[in-house]
Amino acid sequence: MHRQKTLGILILVALAIVTCSSVHSSESQQPIYELKDYGGGHLLTHFNSKPSKITLPRICNNPLVFELGRENKHLKEIQAQTTKSSITFLAKPLTNYEIIEASDFINNVIRSLCAQDPSGLSYKKKLEILRQKISEVSAELESGFDESLAYNKRLLTEAYCALLPIKFNIKMDYPSETNADYKIFAGRKFGVKCTIHNFGRENIIKPNVRLSVPDEWTCELDASPSLIANLSPGKSAEFTYNIKAPRNSLYRPRVFPIIGELSFEHNGAQIKLNYPFEVQLVDPFTARQKIVKATPEKVLAKIELENAFPKQRMENVTISPFLPVNLSLNQEKKTISFYQKASFYVTYIRPKGDELRQRSTWISISVDEHPVRLRTVAEVVLPLGTTSEARGLWMNKCDDGLSEPKIIGETPCRQTMPNPLSPTRYLYFGVSDNMPVSGKTYIIVDYYDGTQGSFSLQYDSTANTEPFNGAYKDAGKTVRLMGSGIWKRETFVLEDAMFAGRQNCNSDFRLVVHDGDLAVKQIAVSKFPVTTD
């Protein structure tokens, strides 16, 4: 089947001979976008990783702005704000846009897809040519879907709406900060406002908007005009839908496509235009935890919530802790409601006399059907004789941090090996992001005092004045090895741990062995105060 060259192909060919470009920068001189003139229009490339409001000089009389997708093909028309001297629109992160004069766009579609010379054609003749071609392409698509043909139909329909002109706009309240258009959270209804503007001089018959949402989502018409038979020139029609996402799941994607379909009749032809956009599922609020006070038996923590959706009141937020064996928790509140910010306290209680072990818990803070999980590792132990990894704490193998398994007496452990890069030997460790960094952190080392020598500890800290911006701050204690032949325990107290993984191999702290080798049977990281045996 013969296919006409699409306008998208013409755009790509034109871009290949671009000779003029201008780069615009922010106050910090970082490029925000690049604008290229390809003769028949302009291509704008947005460089920012977050949405940006872009204002340009009005580069043509009646500009159309299209968001471009794969192969620079049109995804949708962007409803830009225009004045006599400027054009303004919100650009998505790392996205391309085409800006073209409406008459040029219409003529290019007629020339490339309808095989007609638009020169000298009247307004009504252009409409007739586009309408006939839309009917032909629609009939071909009924016999089987073809991606190239479907894209051609989109261009034809966009040109038809631009010629009338009809503007179709979809808007939600909360723009996303990622490549998605908008953000919502699961379990609550969000309004989608769909607006049809008739800026032309002809009546539009039976205008309607329908939304297609993912499976398991709900979509219902909240408010609309009574059944519209006719949208006269200069008038607008608004349709508001409510969409609701089901309970958030870790196994589902976080960005979902939604398609708004505009349909209307004009001069006996049925016109349909799809407007795709994406909605991101995000947490309704952020949850942060700060350690306020710690004793050997209890750790008091303050949990702060900050609303990510202005004007959305978080009603009856439930607080549900899930605890491991041998760790209990007291909570100040069971439910909470707030607009902007809220806070509450929890107390982690350690059984007296119990040995060091992993003590992790997570608190589910739920609103509607959306849970926000705040996981805390209050204390975790890594027995190095049997493994090099535990939930919340692990050993990293680095070029300058080598070790091997050993058995000393009847005790399994790990012992340092020669460092090929320097005389000093290291053992590197990483800590889970669920370990709170506020308050004091205690690192407990069970080591074998087998030979003469010494070791110390360096950790990733907030002290920017320390070496490598605090990534290798010394814990302030050097442990002397006396060769007693017994197992000992040493506790390092860290006042300003950051644990951002800035040491070698993305590690958070390391043992520094200054003389000879060091055998270690266990490492523990705890928020409970621990004293040396």
Side-chain angles (χ1 to χ4, degrees):
M1 184 182 296
H2 178 69
R3 297 281 185 267
Q4 297 289 346
K5 290 185 178 180
T6 67
L7 184 62
I9 296 175
L10 294 179
I11 292 174
L12 291 175
V13 173
L15 290 176
I17 58 173
V18 169
T19 58
C20 176
S21 67
S22 58
V23 177
H24 296 252
S25 302
S26 65
E27 293 179 359
S28 61
Q29 301 305 309
Q30 294 298 318
I32 294 179
Y33 62 86
E34 182 180 59
L35 186 65
K36 294 181 178 180
D37 181 356
Y38 61 84
H42 292 77
L43 181 75
L44 185 145
T45 301
H46 182 219
F47 296 127
N48 271 12
S49 58
K50 290 188 176 182
S52 300
K53 185 178 180 180
I54 292 179
T55 300
L56 305 169
R58 189 157 179 173
I59 50 184
C60 52
N61 181 49
N62 186 19
L64 298 177
V65 181
F66 295 104
E67 179 185 332
L68 304 179
R70 291 184 301 108
E71 300 174 355
N72 275 342
K73 290 185 176 182
H74 290 191
L75 289 179
K76 61 189 174 189
E77 183 184 352
I78 303 300
Q79 302 303 314
Q81 296 179 351
T82 56
T83 66
K84 291 182 179 180
S85 60
S86 67
I87 177 171
T88 301
F89 64 96
L90 184 67
K92 290 170 60 176
L94 308 174
T95 303
N96 291 332
Y97 295 87
E98 182 194 14
I99 304 171
I100 187 170
E101 165 68 38
S103 59
D104 290 342
F105 172 69
I106 296 165
N107 290 339
N108 287 341
V109 171
I110 292 175
R111 186 180 295 109
S112 62
L113 298 183
C114 304
Q116 297 271 357
D117 183 1
S119 303
L121 294 179
S122 66
Y123 161 80
K124 288 190 174 294
K125 186 61 177 177
K126 289 181 179 180
L127 279 177
E128 181 183 338
I129 291 172
L130 288 170
R131 184 167 58 247
Q132 178 63 33
K133 190 62 179 180
I134 290 172
S135 298
E136 292 176 7
V137 173
S138 298
E140 288 187 68
L141 285 171
E142 288 179 359
S143 62
F145 178 79
D146 180 274
E147 184 177 352
S148 177
L149 204 60
Y151 179 63
N152 288 353
K153 182 181 178 182
R154 176 178 195 85
L155 292 176
L156 290 162
T157 307
E158 285 175 341
Y160 196 94
C161 290
L163 186 57
L164 280 172
I166 293 291
K167 295 290 187 180
F168 178 38
N169 188 32
I170 291 181
K171 186 178 181 181
M172 295 182 67
D173 288 333
Y174 299 99
S176 173
E177 293 184 356
T178 69
N179 257 325
D181 296 282
Y182 301 101
K183 65 180 181 181
I184 65 174
F185 60 92
R188 185 166 294 190
K189 293 180 179 179
F190 285 82
V192 184
K193 185 181 294 185
C194 311
T195 309
I196 308 169
H197 303 278
N198 184 358
F199 291 116
R201 54 182 185 266
E202 302 189 42
N203 290 330
I204 302 302
I205 310 302
K206 296 181 181 178
N208 192 28
V209 176
R210 184 175 65 91
L211 288 187
S212 298
V213 299
D215 293 341
E216 301 180 5
W217 287 45
T218 60
C219 178
E220 55 189 22
L221 192 59
D222 176 60
S224 70
S226 56
L227 188 59
I228 300 176
N230 179 43
L231 186 63
S232 56
K235 298 295 183 181
S236 300
E238 186 176 286
F239 299 79
T240 301
Y241 283 87
N242 284 324
I243 61 171
K244 178 182 175 182
R247 181 180 177 87
N248 190 18
S249 169
L250 296 177
Y251 302 103
R252 295 178 184 167
R254 306 226 11 128
V255 175
F256 295 83
I258 293 180
I259 297 176
E261 181 189 76
L262 165 67
S263 63
F264 61 89
E265 294 178 12
H266 182 254
N267 286 346
Q270 182 72 28
I271 305 298
K272 292 184 179 180
L273 177 63
N274 289 336
Y275 184 105
F277 62 103
E278 291 181 329
V279 174
Q280 180 191 18
L281 274 181
V282 301
D283 290 337
F285 43 78
T286 56
R288 301 181 183 89
Q289 180 174 249
K290 295 181 179 179
I291 302 299
V292 177
K293 183 180 179 181
T295 69
E297 293 78 29
K298 297 180 180 180
V299 170
L300 176 65
K302 181 181 181 181
I303 296 176
E304 298 175 332
L305 307 180
E306 184 172 354
N307 193 348
F309 290 82
K311 298 184 289 187
Q312 291 272 344
R313 178 170 170 81
M314 301 300 167
E315 294 279 0
N316 298 319
V317 179
T318 59
I319 304 163
S320 307
F322 293 81
L323 301 171
V325 178
N326 289 333
L327 181 65
S328 56
L329 181 147
N330 289 338
Q331 62 186 95
E332 179 189 43
K333 297 179 180 179
K334 303 294 184 182
T335 63
I336 194 170
S337 298
F338 65 99
Y339 266 114
Q340 297 300 325
K341 295 182 179 181
S343 63
F344 58 93
Y345 291 86
V346 296
T347 303
Y348 302 96
I349 304 172
R350 175 187 183 183
K352 292 183 178 180
D354 197 32
E355 289 296 323
L356 292 171
R357 56 174 298 162
Q358 178 174 315
R359 305 185 191 284
S360 63
T361 181
W362 57 272
I363 301 174
S364 177
I365 311 169
S366 301
V367 58
D368 297 331
E369 297 178 14
H370 194 119
V372 178
R373 290 191 174 98
L374 181 65
R375 187 168 182 268
T376 297
V377 178
E379 187 173 84
V380 63
V381 173
L382 175 60
L384 288 171
T386 57
T387 181
S388 61
E389 184 174 348
R391 291 177 58 189
L393 179 62
W394 56 89
M395 171 183 280
N396 287 322
K397 182 180 179 181
C398 299
D399 291 340
D400 63 340
L402 303 177
S403 65
E404 61 181 348
K406 285 279 187 177
I407 296 180
I408 298 179
E410 297 181 353
T411 302
C413 59
R414 291 192 78 86
Q415 182 172 291
T416 54
M417 294 175 61
N419 179 359
L421 304 178
S422 78
T424 306
R425 305 180 184 192
Y426 302 101
L427 295 177
Y428 287 90
F429 299 90
V431 182
S432 168
D433 290 339
N434 298 314
M435 175 69 71
V437 293
S438 59
K440 294 181 180 180
T441 302
Y442 303 87
I443 297 181
I444 305 97
V445 182
D446 289 356
Y447 66 96
Y448 185 64
D449 183 23
T451 60
Q452 297 285 329
S454 64
F455 72 93
S456 60
L457 183 141
Q458 294 175 343
Y459 65 100
D460 189 1
S461 74
T462 60
N464 294 332
T465 57
E466 295 291 329
F468 300 96
N469 290 323
Y472 290 90
K473 182 178 179 179
D474 191 90
K477 177 191 295 187
T478 299
V479 180
R480 299 293 178 185
L481 302 176
M482 307 303 294
S484 64
I486 61 175
W487 289 97
K488 293 185 177 181
R489 172 173 290 179
E490 189 66 43
T491 299
F492 296 87
V493 183
L494 314 183
E495 301 277 357
D496 54 356
M498 185 165 73
F499 291 164
R502 296 185 298 166
Q503 294 190 356
N504 293 343
C505 306
N506 298 320
S507 301
D508 294 304
F509 68 90
R510 67 181 182 181
L511 296 181
V512 184
V513 184
H514 304 285
D515 305 291
D517 284 309
L518 177 69
V520 180
K521 70 174 181 179
Q522 181 173 281
I523 294 283
V525 180
S526 179
K527 300 306 294 186
F528 294 101
V530 180
T531 56
T532 303
D533 289 348

